[in-house]
Amino acid sequence: MENFFAVANQFAQSRKLIDIQAFGNGNINDTFLVTVDGSGERHFILQRINTQVFRQPKLVMQNMRTFTEHVQNRLLNAPLDRPWEVPRVLLTKDGQDCCTDGDGSFWRAISFIEGCQSFDRMQDTEQAREVGYALGMFHNLIGDLPAEKLADTLEGFHITPRYLQYYEEVLAKTSARVSPEVNYCLQFVSDRTPFAHILENAKTEGKLPLRLMHGDPKVNNVMFNIATQKAVSVVDLDTVKPGLVHYDIGDCLRSGCNLAGEETADWQLVRFDTDLAQGILQGYLSVAKAFLTENDYAYMYDAIRLIAFELGLRFFADHLAGNVYFKVKHPEHNLARALVQFKLTESIESQETTIRSIIEDMK
């Protein structure tokens, strides 16, 4: 704790530190809520960036400053008809956007959005519409920022064929402990190997344009105002980079339409809720219709199916590799996570006609 206070003090400016508490349940970075004394904002977020994942943390910060300043300027020049918050990068006493401690750990601080909460699971279709609106607004606000202005800080991130290649490399040099669950996963991936290339092929063929994407628009990264229950921000901005908005659309629906949650032990009961999917897409398209093309709609179902498969593939590969990427609570944790995502993929596949009809009716 002494080290945490020393680091937090770098970002506190002249304010007195009152408390530091662990915050959130992210799988990658270590996040803390800092409470300070004095007038003005009473809290800020302090994060230790996982440099095993984000190997160029200074580029992550450069990206964050570029697009948050861009969005802040857009909102200043053309205010929305409802509140919207953009997390701000806080500077150290030396005017830097990050600092390192004695152990070489990389730290940064971000403004805290007061009076807000997030949800790990969707409550109802109205909340689903708000989540969709939030993602659509996020895409809208960064849509006029040229993709080349941001560095690709996670090369290969949300490139499904890359994850498949890594999985095959791990499988070739690892002896998977045989079990019914492992066998299910092995067969599941094998059956869908050709499908892994569908979005990247569309990008290569010029059917889907390169845009800026959030990269991790899970439901719990959407902040809701507690009083109004309206979405006011999208947070967790480390993964914003050039890519396909389809990865965001797929990830948002993947996380939002699984009421059992990503960590459920009852993976066989996991299903994709099409009512919530309809709500998310209604909210998203209320903003996104302005910039989506015919091809964007054509690949929307594929995106929803692919991202559930992709995350399951990543969890399963990490399980086989010895849990080197995602934080785990027990040795079989990533296997359990993979089973949830694969079962969700199955549920999406079984409702393809319904999901495609929902998309078609909203065009």
Side-chain angles (χ1 to χ4, degrees):
M1 287 304 297
E2 185 179 339
N3 181 47
F4 294 166
F5 269 85
V7 172
N9 201 44
Q10 290 288 313
F11 297 96
Q13 302 298 337
S14 59
R15 297 170 296 177
K16 180 183 176 184
L17 296 176
I18 302 297
D19 189 33
I20 300 177
Q21 295 289 336
F23 187 77
N25 55 3
N27 287 334
I28 306 298
N29 298 323
D30 296 319
T31 304
F32 304 89
L33 180 64
V34 180
T35 304
V36 295
D37 196 5
S39 60
E41 297 174 342
R42 295 294 313 277
H43 304 93
F44 65 86
I45 295 293
L46 181 68
Q47 285 187 314
R48 176 166 49 197
I49 294 182
N50 184 339
T51 51
Q52 293 297 110
V53 175
F54 299 103
R55 296 184 179 275
Q56 301 183 80
K58 290 189 176 179
L59 277 184
V60 171
M61 297 310 301
Q62 180 181 302
N63 274 7
M64 189 175 290
R65 291 183 71 170
T66 297
F67 72 77
T68 55
E69 288 166 12
H70 172 84
V71 173
Q72 285 160 359
N73 287 334
R74 273 201 61 173
L75 292 172
L76 196 62
N77 295 323
L80 303 178
D81 59 1
R82 54 181 281 184
W84 188 260
E85 299 273 353
V86 185
R88 303 185 324 277
V89 174
L90 305 183
L91 303 181
T92 67
K93 294 174 181 177
D94 299 330
Q96 303 299 309
D97 58 22
C98 59
C99 71
T100 54
D101 63 17
D103 297 329
S105 295
F106 192 96
W107 295 84
R108 55 98 182 277
I110 304 166
S111 62
F112 179 70
I113 302 174
E114 299 281 358
C116 292
Q117 66 184 137
S118 63
F119 300 92
D120 286 330
R121 301 182 195 179
M122 209 90 75
Q123 310 295 305
D124 51 41
T125 53
E126 180 55 37
Q127 195 178 79
R129 279 190 285 272
E130 284 296 306
V131 167
Y133 167 86
L135 181 60
M137 184 53 65
F138 182 86
H139 284 164
N140 174 51
L141 290 171
I142 62 173
D144 61 341
L145 180 62
E148 59 270 17
K149 291 269 188 170
L150 296 192
D152 189 345
T153 53
L154 274 179
E155 191 177 343
F157 182 62
H158 275 322
I159 308 290
T160 315
R162 293 273 194 100
Y163 294 122
L164 183 62
Q165 181 183 352
Y166 172 70
Y167 163 78
E168 289 169 346
E169 291 170 357
V170 169
L171 195 59
K173 61 186 180 185
T174 305
S175 298
R177 212 170 101 193
V178 177
S179 71
E181 291 79 13
V182 167
N183 287 341
Y184 167 82
C185 290
L186 291 169
Q187 189 63 51
F188 194 92
V189 175
S190 177
D191 290 345
R192 289 158 183 79
T193 293
F195 173 65
H197 299 263
I198 190 163
L199 291 187
E200 289 304 305
N201 285 350
K203 182 175 74 176
T204 301
E205 293 163 9
K207 295 177 181 177
L208 297 178
L210 192 69
R211 300 182 175 109
L212 292 180
M213 65 176 190
H214 180 279
D216 190 24
K218 294 181 296 191
V219 169
N220 61 8
N221 282 333
V222 176
M223 302 302 296
F224 285 77
N225 180 283
I226 293 172
T228 66
Q229 287 302 299
K230 297 292 186 183
V232 295
S233 187
V234 179
V235 297
D236 200 357
L237 305 173
D238 288 332
T239 51
V240 176
K241 56 168 270 183
L244 300 176
V245 295
H246 287 69
Y247 290 122
D248 278 355
I249 296 167
D251 206 16
C252 186
L253 273 81
R254 175 202 64 75
S255 69
C257 301
N258 169 17
L259 286 174
E262 296 184 9
E263 300 286 338
T264 179
D266 297 323
W267 64 274
Q268 305 235 24
L269 302 180
V270 169
R271 57 180 284 270
F272 184 83
D273 190 307
T274 54
D275 290 336
L276 292 177
Q278 185 170 21
I280 291 175
L281 288 171
Q282 281 175 343
Y284 181 75
L285 294 173
S286 71
V287 184
K289 272 185 178 179
F291 59 80
L292 291 179
T293 68
E294 188 65 31
N295 277 339
D296 286 329
Y297 287 102
Y299 283 92
M300 210 168 276
Y301 165 77
D302 298 311
I304 297 166
R305 177 189 174 199
L306 183 68
I307 296 306
F309 169 70
E310 178 188 283
L311 185 57
L313 177 67
R314 293 174 64 196
F315 283 140
F316 187 44
D318 201 33
H319 169 71
L320 296 175
N323 305 315
V324 296
Y325 185 90
F326 296 104
K327 292 179 183 177
V328 294
K329 295 177 181 175
H330 55 85
E332 305 291 303
H333 197 169
N334 276 323
L335 176 61
R337 288 164 165 162
L339 290 166
V340 170
Q341 296 305 318
F342 289 159
K343 196 65 181 177
L344 186 65
T345 307
E346 279 187 357
S347 180
I348 292 167
E349 292 168 346
S350 72
Q351 299 179 87
E352 177 177 355
T353 302
T354 301
I355 297 168
R356 286 192 183 277
S357 294
I358 289 170
I359 295 166
E360 186 65 28
D361 291 346
M362 290 188 191
K363 286 168 61 174

